[in-house]
Amino acid sequence: ATVKEVMEKIRKVAPPIPFNTTGLIVAANSIGFTAAKTINVAENLYMNGYISYPRTDNTVYPHGISIKDVAEMLGKVSEFKAASREILSQDKITASRGNRRTTDHPPIYPTSPAERQLLGEDKWKLYELVSRRFIATLLPAAEMKSISASVDISGEEFIANGSNIIKANWTAHYPYYKHEDVFIPHLKKGEELEVISGELLDKQTKPPARYTQGKLVEKMEELGLGTKATRHTIIQNLITRGYIKGNPLVPSEKAVAVINVLKKHAEKISTPDMTSELEIDMDGIARG
């Protein structure tokens, strides 16, 4: 094998944006929380003063929140001391921002220190997720080195791609970010390599993955279905009534039958358009 070309590139991996309700549901789903459980536990944490109001569309911290004070507060929690020091050691603390800015409530962030043993497993898991997300939004972008090597074997071109994080920054304190380093050895153009083995695979395409509860909430928001206060309840109602089950979600025979009948006799009811149009009309009424 002859090395034809080696390309190295260093790119920045931006920190995540602050949590709104949908973002929290999606992230909590990846650690085993259903949409309804996420909201129930988050409301309990809010009622007990540990996090801010969990029903919000906002992804931009307002000026009224002192993010430095919150970072100092998290320094009182043993699990977050190192992260707090790292935030406060910066010359200037700059928070990441999402593209949704509202004035009703701030993004979801921790409001007081908590102890793992006092909260219990579920509440601590969600409190830690909210706290680590807040921490991640205040730290610099990570840096990742990507390598792509093109090699020639008997006139056929093969590509090897690898990447590894060279500056962790926010990723060091946010374990929910998944990246597996793939190392490519240092190669030079024209270098000769020994081919150890070859493998020929016969594969078939796979269908798209089913929706998890978190991804379904995200899709509902995109389509304008429900609100931040109702999306998790809609999913729970579908589960309770036997239309869907599991996570990822699988439709029942009853659900498929109902949709088929609706498409045949009342097609508009079976599309997202009717509900989203209704939501838009209701918002119009609310605005006068």
Side-chain angles (χ1 to χ4, degrees), residues 44-275:
N44 187 289
L45 288 170
Y46 165 68
M47 294 296 286
N48 286 283
Y50 291 112
I51 65 171
S52 61
Y53 190 59
R55 296 178 189 267
T56 176
D57 290 323
N58 201 351
T59 54
V60 180
Y61 297 124
H63 296 303
I65 294 174
S66 172
I67 53 179
K68 184 178 179 182
D69 287 349
V70 179
E72 287 176 348
M73 176 274 292
L74 283 175
K76 298 173 185 176
V77 182
S78 57
E79 286 85 351
F80 310 131
K81 278 182 180 176
S84 175
R85 281 196 299 270
E86 195 169 326
I87 292 168
L88 298 172
S89 68
Q90 298 176 100
D91 294 332
K92 184 182 179 184
I93 302 172
T94 304
S96 64
R97 300 162 61 94
N99 56 14
R100 300 198 67 173
R101 186 171 194 168
T102 60
T103 56
D104 54 348
H105 299 287
I108 305 164
Y109 68 97
T111 52
S112 65
E115 293 181 37
R116 185 194 293 260
Q117 61 269 29
L118 293 180
L119 283 188
E121 186 178 359
D122 284 343
K123 283 184 282 206
W124 171 260
K125 274 186 179 179
L126 206 65
Y127 176 80
E128 182 177 34
L129 176 63
V130 169
S131 298
R132 289 197 179 278
R133 182 59 159 246
F134 174 78
I135 288 164
T137 64
L138 305 186
L139 288 170
E143 289 187 9
M144 186 179 293
K145 182 165 76 171
S146 300
I147 301 172
S148 180
S150 168
V151 298
D152 181 287
I153 304 175
S154 302
E156 294 287 345
E157 184 181 22
F158 292 84
I159 307 292
N161 293 313
S163 64
N164 59 289
I165 292 175
I166 54 177
K167 282 189 181 177
N169 293 335
W170 69 268
T171 63
H173 302 285
Y174 196 71
Y176 317 99
Y177 174 72
K178 303 297 181 187
H179 173 77
E180 190 173 334
D181 284 350
V182 178
F183 288 96
I184 300 289
H186 183 67
L187 300 171
K188 292 180 181 176
K189 187 175 181 178
E191 187 177 348
E192 298 288 323
L193 306 171
E194 180 187 354
V195 179
I196 296 170
S197 65
E199 198 177 358
L200 188 63
L201 303 178
D202 185 12
K203 293 185 176 181
Q204 293 181 326
T205 58
K206 293 182 178 179
R210 293 188 184 277
Y211 283 112
T212 62
Q213 289 198 27
K215 287 294 180 185
L216 185 57
V217 167
E218 207 170 35
K219 190 68 177 176
M220 290 168 74
E221 182 179 55
E222 178 190 322
L223 295 172
L225 303 178
T227 68
K228 60 182 178 286
T230 63
R231 290 182 188 116
H232 68 284
T233 307
I234 292 168
I235 293 173
Q236 192 56 48
N237 284 343
L238 291 173
I239 293 169
T240 303
R241 293 167 189 171
Y243 288 109
I244 53 176
K245 64 180 179 179
N247 195 24
L249 295 159
V250 180
S252 64
E253 288 184 16
K254 177 169 75 171
V256 175
V258 168
I259 290 296
N260 287 340
V261 170
L262 287 175
K263 281 185 173 178
K264 186 176 179 181
H265 298 288
E267 188 172 2
K268 188 163 186 178
I269 294 175
S270 69
T271 69
D273 302 342
M274 189 200 80
T275 311

Side-chain angles (χ1 to χ4, degrees), residues 277-288:
E277 283 173 22
L278 183 63
E279 295 286 354
I280 290 167
D281 290 345
M282 292 297 181
D283 285 343
I285 293 168
R287 290 194 303 271

